[in-house]
């Protein structure tokens, strides 16, 4: 069967131009048959009104919580939330209960992802057994089972010697090692960036806890030739270290979250657990360094670190709430508004960091719309004005500090392999 999208505009990821374009899709093969104007008739045509045709977005950092914490999120709800945000693939972190530390558990998540039929699931498996930082997992078996990277996200691997061993094996398998950089001897259970911590009399979690581990792992990556991927970069020294390492030819990639780009520790309120995230919201200087890092490519990708928690869990204030914020569903309108509309960033820079570059970083298909390639695409209406409304979200978690923020744009349609996995059903006029 053939499906056609008619009336959209194709974004050129190089020069940022938007050109009227139709897309003809082979829904059996799941590929793009043709791009252009006056394309042949199809069995089904979806008519658009000038919306932008973007390569399907790819999120390299989400928490789907299944198995074990399905009250927070399930693979079905998390991948539907991702699809509603325009994502066609998500890499999910292994800090589930039990953690994804065996090939069988990885295969199980892949299977459940396929059954859910929304954004495609690319599991990240554990570096160490049970994420205990003691014993390495079977990297080859995990990769064979479908793991696209390994990570002990949620905590850092504290033992540098073990990390070195991990990088040696990962290098031989060409498997990226995604690090949650947090030196526990510096972090000491801290909760907030030092400024906010002093204001609220809570233990500090300083940028040095992140940067120290990043420095160690950059040295080890240089020595071993492994691909190090630094998760959720939040601090100026970390950006500087990664920039330095890239100039030295270290195989390092890095991600930044929407919350570290748009919020600083000044936003934190003691009584509101929604601001609690790890790494914490940092200083204005750190935030600006993340902007510069993303703009100059030091930080390769935007990843949401979508971390759903229940309302009750997050109602316990800063001391007791779990760390984390959701992000899948509104990151594109949010960053389009703040980076492109309000600060004149080139649209293609943002899109590159949310589609092509993530695909390259974890070696995934997609990231670009081309004839013969997968029909994974996102239809975005940049002219629509709305507010971020957690009640309209598909995630089980509504824990976002961006609730009520005005944004430009909404995702109208998300397709994976030519199948519509999400369709915006509200009114069509702005
Ligand atoms: O804020 C966070 N939440 N940071 C992490 O590293 C883990 C995540 C989670 O699993 O909730
Ligand atoms: Zn993390």
């Amino acid at each position: 069967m053939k499906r056609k999208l008619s009336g959209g505009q194709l974004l050129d990821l190089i020069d940022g131009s938007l050109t009227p374009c139709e897309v003809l899709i082979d829904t059996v093969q799941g590929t793009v048959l043709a791009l252009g104007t006056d394309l042949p008739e199809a069995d089904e045509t979806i008519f658009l009104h000038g919306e932008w045709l973007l390569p399907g977005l790819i999120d390299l950092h989400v928490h789907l919580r299944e198995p074990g914490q399905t009250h927070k999120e399930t693979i079905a709800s998390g991948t539907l939330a991702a699809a509603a945000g325009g994502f066609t693939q998500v890499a999910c972190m292994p800090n589930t209960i039990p953690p994804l530390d065996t090939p069988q558990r990885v295969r199980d998540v892949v299977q459940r992802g396929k059954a859910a039929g929304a954004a495609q699931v690319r599991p990240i498996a554990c570096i160490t057994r049970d994420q205990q930082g003691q014993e390495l997992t079977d990297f080859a078996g995990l990769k064979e089972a479908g793991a696209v990277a390994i990570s002990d996200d949620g905590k850092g691997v504290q033992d540098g010697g073990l990390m070195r061993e991990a990088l040696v094996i990962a290098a031989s398998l060409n498997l990226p090692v995604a690090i949650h950089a947090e030196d526990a001897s510096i972090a000491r259970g801290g909760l907030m960036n030092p400024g906010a911590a002093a204001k609220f009399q809570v233990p500090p979690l300083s940028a040095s806890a992140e940067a120290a581990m990043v420095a160690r792992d950059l040295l080890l990556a240089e020595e071993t030739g492994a691909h190090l991927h630094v998760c959720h970069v939040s601090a100026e020294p970390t950006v500087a270290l990664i920039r330095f390492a890239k100039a030295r030819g270290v195989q390092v990639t890095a991600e930044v979250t929407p919350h570290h780009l748009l919020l600083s520790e000044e936003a934190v309120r003691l009584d509101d657990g929604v601001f609690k995230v790890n790494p914490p919201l940092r200083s204005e200087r750190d935030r600006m360094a993340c902007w510069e890092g993303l703009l100059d490519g030091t930080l390769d990708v935007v990843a949401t670190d979508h971390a759903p928690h229940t309302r009750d869990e997050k109602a316990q204030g800063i001391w007791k709430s779990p760390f984390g914020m959701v992000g899948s569903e509104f990151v594109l309108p949010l960053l389009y508004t703040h980076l492109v509309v309000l600060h004149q960033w080139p649209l293609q820079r943002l899109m590159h960091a949310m589609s092509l570059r993530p695909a390259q970083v974890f070696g995934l298909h997609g990231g670009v719309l081309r004839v013969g390639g997968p029909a994974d695409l996102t239809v975005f209406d940049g002219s629509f004005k709305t507010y971020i409304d957690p009640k309209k979200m598909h995630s089980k978690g509504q824990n976002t500090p961006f609730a009520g923020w005005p944004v430009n744009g909404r995702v109208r349609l998300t397709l994976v392999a030519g199948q519509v996995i999400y369709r915006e059903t509200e009114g069509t006029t702005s």
Side-chain angles (χ1 to χ4, degrees), residues 114-371:
K114 283 194 178 134
Q120 300 164 96
V121 176
R122 311 289 178 216
I124 299 171
C126 300
I127 302 172
T128 66
R129 202 157 303 286
D130 205 24
Q131 295 197 308
Q132 291 301 307
Q134 307 284 330
E135 191 192 337
L136 298 182
T137 52
D138 166 16
F139 298 174
L142 293 167
K143 183 176 179 182
E144 171 76 31
V148 295
I150 46 172
S151 179
D152 275 0
D153 185 45
K155 43 188 155 180
V157 175
Q158 302 304 319
D159 182 330
L162 192 69
M163 189 60 172
R164 187 180 180 285
E165 269 182 59
L167 289 166
V168 168
I169 301 168
S172 73
L173 295 166
N174 210 5
L175 188 62
V177 181
I179 59 161
H180 171 114
E182 183 177 345
D183 180 326
S185 68
I186 301 174
R188 289 190 173 168
L191 297 180
M192 288 182 199
N193 201 53
K199 182 165 146 199
F200 296 123
Q201 304 285 297
V202 303
L205 178 43
S206 76
S208 305
E210 173 177 294
M213 190 170 276
V214 168
R216 180 197 77 180
D217 289 352
L218 287 170
L219 292 168
L220 293 172
E222 179 164 18
E223 184 188 332
T224 59
H227 173 182
L228 188 77
H229 177 73
V230 184
C231 294
H232 41 55
V233 170
S234 69
E236 185 277 333
T238 311
V239 178
L241 285 165
I242 294 169
R243 190 176 284 123
F244 176 66
K246 283 193 169 181
R248 286 169 68 88
V250 178
Q251 205 193 337
V252 56
T253 52
E255 63 189 39
V256 63
T257 69
H259 43 276
H260 292 114
L261 287 168
L262 298 184
L263 294 172
S264 73
E265 61 184 335
E266 280 145 43
V268 176
R269 292 209 313 265
L270 187 63
D271 59 349
D272 196 344
V274 88
F275 294 100
K276 185 170 174 183
V277 68
N278 186 4
L281 300 176
R282 300 222 182 262
S283 69
E284 207 42 38
R285 177 164 171 263
D286 292 313
R287 188 173 83 86
M288 283 298 112
C290 289
W291 278 55
E292 278 166 35
L294 182 60
L295 201 51
D296 75 9
T298 301
L299 306 180
D300 299 79
V301 306
V302 169
T304 62
D305 196 0
H306 175 82
H309 297 289
T310 64
R311 181 189 296 269
D312 286 352
E313 287 164 335
K314 275 296 200 180
Q316 303 173 94
I318 289 285
W319 282 95
K320 288 199 177 148
S321 299
F323 289 105
M325 299 173 172
V326 293
S328 296
E329 271 159 282
F330 49 77
V331 57
L332 179 58
L334 186 65
L335 293 184
Y336 170 65
T337 305
H338 285 271
L339 303 184
V340 180
V341 177
L342 296 177
H343 286 92
Q344 288 79 48
W345 277 39
L347 174 61
Q348 68 272 27
R349 175 70 201 108
L350 176 62
M351 294 318 308
H352 187 261
M354 295 185 73
S355 56
L356 181 58
R357 198 65 195 123
Q360 292 170 339
V361 167
F362 280 180
L364 309 175
H365 73 245
V368 61
L369 266 182
R370 59 173 178 81
V371 174

Side-chain angles (χ1 to χ4, degrees), residues 16-139:
S17 61
L18 287 157
T19 320
C21 187
E22 295 179 328
V23 189
L24 190 64
I25 293 164
D26 178 339
T27 59
V28 179
Q29 297 296 323
T31 53
V32 175
L33 282 174
L35 290 166
T37 47
D38 299 322
L39 298 185
E41 285 308 304
D43 304 285
E44 184 201 299
T45 301
I46 299 176
F47 293 98
L48 304 174
H49 303 89
E51 292 94 333
W52 307 341
L53 303 164
L54 309 172
L57 308 184
I58 301 173
D59 193 346
L60 295 187
H61 193 142
V62 302
H63 295 269
L64 296 178
R65 307 295 191 210
E66 184 178 346
Q69 293 182 305
T70 51
H71 59 290
K72 294 178 194 266
E73 193 77 291
T74 62
I75 289 174
S77 64
T79 54
L80 181 59
F87 291 98
T88 52
Q89 297 181 72
V90 293
C92 62
M93 282 298 174
N95 62 338
T96 48
I97 303 173
L100 306 184
D101 62 0
T102 66
Q104 186 48 45
R105 287 180 190 157
V106 170
R107 272 193 287 273
D108 186 44
V109 166
V110 171
Q111 275 311 320
R112 292 190 205 199
K114 283 194 178 134
Q120 300 164 96
V121 176
R122 311 289 178 216
I124 299 171
C126 300
I127 302 172
T128 66
R129 202 157 303 286
D130 205 24
Q131 295 197 308
Q132 291 301 307
Q134 307 284 330
E135 191 192 337
L136 298 182
T137 52
D138 166 16
F139 298 174

